[in-house]
Amino acid sequence: MHLKTQNSSGVTLDEADAMVAIVSSVSVSASRAAAAVAPAPAPAPAPSGGGGGGGGGVVPSLPITSVTLSGRAYPLSAVTVLKDGQIALTTIAGPDANFKVVLTGLSAGQYIFAVFGEDDSGRRSALFTFPIFLTTGAATTISGIFISPTIAVDKSEIKRGDSLAIFGQSVSRGEITIAVNSDQEIFVKTRADKNGVYLYNFDTAPLNIGQHSAKSKAAVAGETSSYSKVVGFTVGTKSVARKKEQKAIKGDIQNDGRVNLIDFSILAYWYKRPKSPARVDLNGDGKVTLVDFSIMAYYWTG
């Protein structure tokens, strides 16, 4: 993909195509965020009989560097934006699955942004990743982001010939294509419901005994997402239900399904310390403060 940026001086710069993920529509425009030229100084007052005093000039406002990200996720789902591997912010997609976020106060330079969605069962999508070079005073817009579906299966091992439930969440009413790995890849299609939830009962008879995997992608309104994460399963002589995935609880730092004193102790260790891990920074502001303790208290299970 070819990216053009017009800087604040009106000069158009060409930048090589370096996107890691496919962005269907990217437009970058730059404009002055505020006038950078100070107004002409007012005429100096006539000298008075008393002593003179110093005068002050008008300080020009600094141009704002920002990036706007928009696209599709899942209806009313959490959408998280990472900047250079750290959580920058989290928002909620609308009932139509669309989302839009604006990040301001950025410095000029090269960044790697990533976006992921989380469905109503706590499953996360694959990362949608792309690099951006920001210019001072530029308002950069990345549109057409299409977060891939989530995917899961109901059995870790399936008896050959039995049906395997493949399911997940994507855009409302989206067409879902499921690719099942075999000697020759098998493609099947289904449609998500109004909440973006999809389900396909896959006949495993054509599959050989052994390890297999599945992935999915979504299409709607002429746009297509990238493929989801890959989920694995085994075709054998018996069926074994997959252990139910436990939905992540905010504040469950040690990931044991509870929020208790152990999590509190870990959070307390990182209180006001620099470079705290993302898992303890519960509100994603880059530091552990009393706000994070408030969030933990809300989700407390004991």
Side-chain angles (χ1 to χ4, degrees), residues 4 7 9 18 20 34 39 45 50 99 102 114 125 137 143 148 178 216 222 224-225 263 275-276 282 284 292:
K4 286 187 177 180
N7 66 17
S9 299
V20 178
F99 70 91
V102 180
S125 72
S143 61
S148 62
I178 300 171
S216 64
T224 304
S225 75
D263 303 291
K275 298 181 180 179
S276 57
L282 302 183
D292 300 289

Side-chain angles (χ1 to χ4, degrees), residues 52-132:
V58 177
V59 179
S61 58
L62 296 176
I64 298 174
T65 305
S66 67
V67 60
T68 300
L69 309 176
S70 64
R72 305 177 190 270
Y74 324 135
L76 301 175
S77 64
V79 178
T80 299
V81 177
L82 305 179
K83 177 173 66 70
D84 291 338
Q86 300 295 318
I87 294 177
L89 58 82
T90 299
T91 189
I92 302 296
D96 58 358
N98 291 333
F99 70 91
K100 182 177 180 180
V101 296
V102 180
L103 288 82
T104 58
L106 301 173
S107 301
Q110 183 78 32
Y111 294 91
I112 296 178
F113 283 93
V115 184
F116 68 85
E118 183 174 322
D119 67 18
D120 55 13
S121 295
R123 292 181 292 265
R124 291 184 176 181
S125 72
L127 286 175
F128 187 101
T129 308
F130 48 94
I132 301 177

Side-chain angles (χ1 to χ4, degrees), residues 178-193:
I178 300 171
V180 179
N181 170 262
S182 185
D183 291 338
Q184 186 172 7
E185 201 165 27
I186 301 172
F187 296 92
V188 295
K189 291 186 177 183
T190 188
R191 189 165 292 277
D193 65 16

